[in-house]
Structures are given as C-alpha cells and as structure tokens.
Amino acid sequence: MRFTGKVAVVTGAATGLGRVYALRLASEGADVCVADVDLQGTEKTASLIREKGRKSLAIKMDVTSEEETIDGARSAFETFKKIDILVNNAGIVRGVSRIPLEDLKLADWNRIVNVNLTGVFLVSKAFVPYMKKAGKGKIINISSGVALHGGSLRQDYVTSKAGVIGFTRALAVDLGEYNINVNVITPGGVEASEARGETPRPFSPDRVGGRYIRRLIYPADLDGVVAFLASDESDMITGQVINVDGGRVFVG
C-alpha cells in the first residue's frame, strides 16, 4: 500500500490504459481523480476505484482547453486538499492519418499535436502550482516508442510524442528544487484491446518484430512502471525516459 494517504490524478482514464493506471494506483492505496472528455467512461472508472475502498472524483476534461484543465485542477484540489501524483496519459493514437507529408492537412496535424503535446503542457501547468506548494510531487508523462525509432507516414503523431520527451526533460530541470520528479514512459506497441473492451487482435510475428523479448506488451507490463515512478522509491529519478518495448530501442 505505497500510496496510502496519497492523491493521484490520471488523464485519459475513461477506458484503456488510463483506467488501468488509475486502478493500479488505487489498488495500492491512492485516492484518484480521473479525467477524460468521456464523462460516462470516467464515472465508470471512478466507480471501480470506489469498489476498491478508495475515494475518487470523475472530471470531464478536454486537455486542449486551458479553462477546463484549470477548473479540473481546482476541483481536484478542493476535493482532496492536495495533489501528489499526476499521470499525463490522455492522447490520440487511433485515427492518426498515415499519409505522405505533402498530403497531411494542417487541421489534422494540429488535432494530434494539440491533444498529445499541448494537452500535457496545459494539464501540467494547471496542476504543478499545487505540487509546488506541497514541496513534493510525481509527474509521469506517457509518450510512445515511436518517438525514439520513428514511424512511416506518421509525422504528426511521432512529433507530438517526441515533444513530450523534450517537455518532460525541460520541466524536470525547473521543478527539481521543489522535489517534484518528472519522468516519461515510452511504451512500444501495447496490446490494449481487452482493456478498451475490444476483441484482441490475433498474434502475428510482425507484431513483435525487432524486440529482444519476443512477445506482446500488455497493460500489466506498464502499470507497475507507472506505480514505481509515482512512489517514493523513485525519489532520485527525474528527467528520464523509461522505455518499455522489449528492447527494440536502447535509450542512452
């Protein structure tokens, strides 16, 4: 129960990996504020957290809206009186256009970058002041392995996720004096269909191509990493890229 007495905030927690992260933190004692544009799904996650005996608050939050992120942070603080952990998980991965650069529309580029990168900025900006006042905190940003090895016809998505790494490192420099740790996880192709309530895709060798540990990556391979980075055990780890991809890319 590493997080007894701690309060966590998880964005993009209506379903999928965000829900997995929120439930893992709650299972170890945290009270959790869950935020997502999908309020119905977010309320379901909050209900599952309460079933574990923890407190939870569901917030409808569009991470691209400065007003909604500020209001969400205020609501979370008014409810729980502190913020110890922030997991910036909200992002777009499905529906990303796979087209040549010359055919990529500015509106599509902005849609991806605004959610995946600007959203991390706005949510962090809204919650960091509460962590500064406390003099301690953990911020875990979720990027993607494509930020390290690239991806064909995905300029918008790859750039947005690479930006999260740069933002993480810049923020870690500035927040160290407040004992706030900022780290980023780069998952590599997670099989999260079941977590999203979908039928898992069939296994094929190309889905593990390039990995030294040649199996699929599941949500259970990630939630423990999130919990570790959120815990006091990681107090001297900041500004780091934690790559969870079975060894496809070595981060130096």
Side-chain angles (χ1 to χ4, degrees):
M1 302 298 284
R2 289 180 286 186
F3 306 118
T4 300
K6 298 288 183 69
V7 175
V9 176
V10 182
T11 67
T15 186
L17 290 172
R19 176 178 288 176
V20 170
Y21 301 150
L23 292 175
R24 174 58 185 263
L25 295 173
S27 72
E28 295 199 38
D31 294 328
V32 187
C33 170
V34 289
D36 201 296
V37 290
D38 175 7
L39 182 58
Q40 184 176 358
T42 305
E43 289 175 338
K44 173 61 177 177
T45 302
S47 176
L48 292 172
I49 290 169
R50 295 186 192 108
E51 289 178 8
K52 293 181 176 292
R54 309 312 311 166
K55 297 177 182 177
S56 187
L57 172 68
I59 294 177
K60 185 178 184 301
M61 179 190 292
D62 178 350
V63 297
T64 69
S65 166
E66 186 167 20
E67 180 180 3
E68 288 192 21
T69 55
I70 290 173
D71 288 346
R74 183 184 300 115
S75 295
F77 185 78
E78 289 176 351
T79 298
F80 297 108
K81 310 307 179 188
K82 63 174 182 171
I83 306 294
D84 300 295
I85 301 157
L86 171 61
V87 182
N88 276 310
N89 170 73
I92 297 175
V93 62
R94 312 187 107 199
V96 175
S97 300
R98 289 178 177 264
I99 56 177
L101 176 63
E102 57 269 30
D103 296 324
L104 180 59
K105 296 180 180 179
L106 179 59
D108 292 331
W109 169 279
N110 286 340
R111 180 175 66 92
I112 300 301
V113 173
N114 284 345
V115 175
N116 292 353
L117 179 54
T118 304
V120 174
F121 155 66
L122 288 175
V123 173
S124 299
K125 181 181 178 183
F127 282 92
V128 159
Y130 300 105
M131 291 183 167
K132 280 185 173 181
K133 290 178 182 178
K136 186 175 176 65
K138 298 296 176 79
I139 299 175
I140 301 108
N141 297 325
I142 307 298
S143 177
S144 169
V146 299
L148 306 176
H149 58 71
S152 178
L153 304 178
R154 304 175 75 185
Q155 296 91 350
D156 45 3
Y157 182 73
V158 174
T159 300
S160 70
K161 289 301 188 178
V164 173
I165 295 176
F167 178 76
T168 296
R169 288 174 166 164
L171 197 60
V173 171
D174 292 335
L175 296 184
E177 65 179 289
Y178 300 98
N179 295 309
I180 299 173
N181 304 66
V182 192
N183 292 289
V184 58
I185 300 174
T186 52
V190 183
E191 174 48 70
S193 301
E194 191 171 353
R196 292 192 292 262
E198 303 168 354
T199 301
R201 293 185 294 159
F203 175 83
S204 62
D206 65 295
R207 296 187 66 192
V208 297
R211 292 178 187 164
Y212 296 109
I213 300 175
R214 299 185 65 79
R215 69 163 175 81
L216 296 176
I217 300 169
Y218 295 99
D221 296 310
L222 287 167
D223 66 350
V225 181
V226 170
F228 168 69
L229 292 175
S231 74
D232 293 342
E233 297 162 41
S234 66
D235 277 356
M236 288 303 291
I237 299 175
T238 196
Q240 300 302 307
V241 179
I242 311 299
N243 193 35
V244 185
D245 71 350
R248 179 177 179 182
V249 175
F250 294 148
V251 182

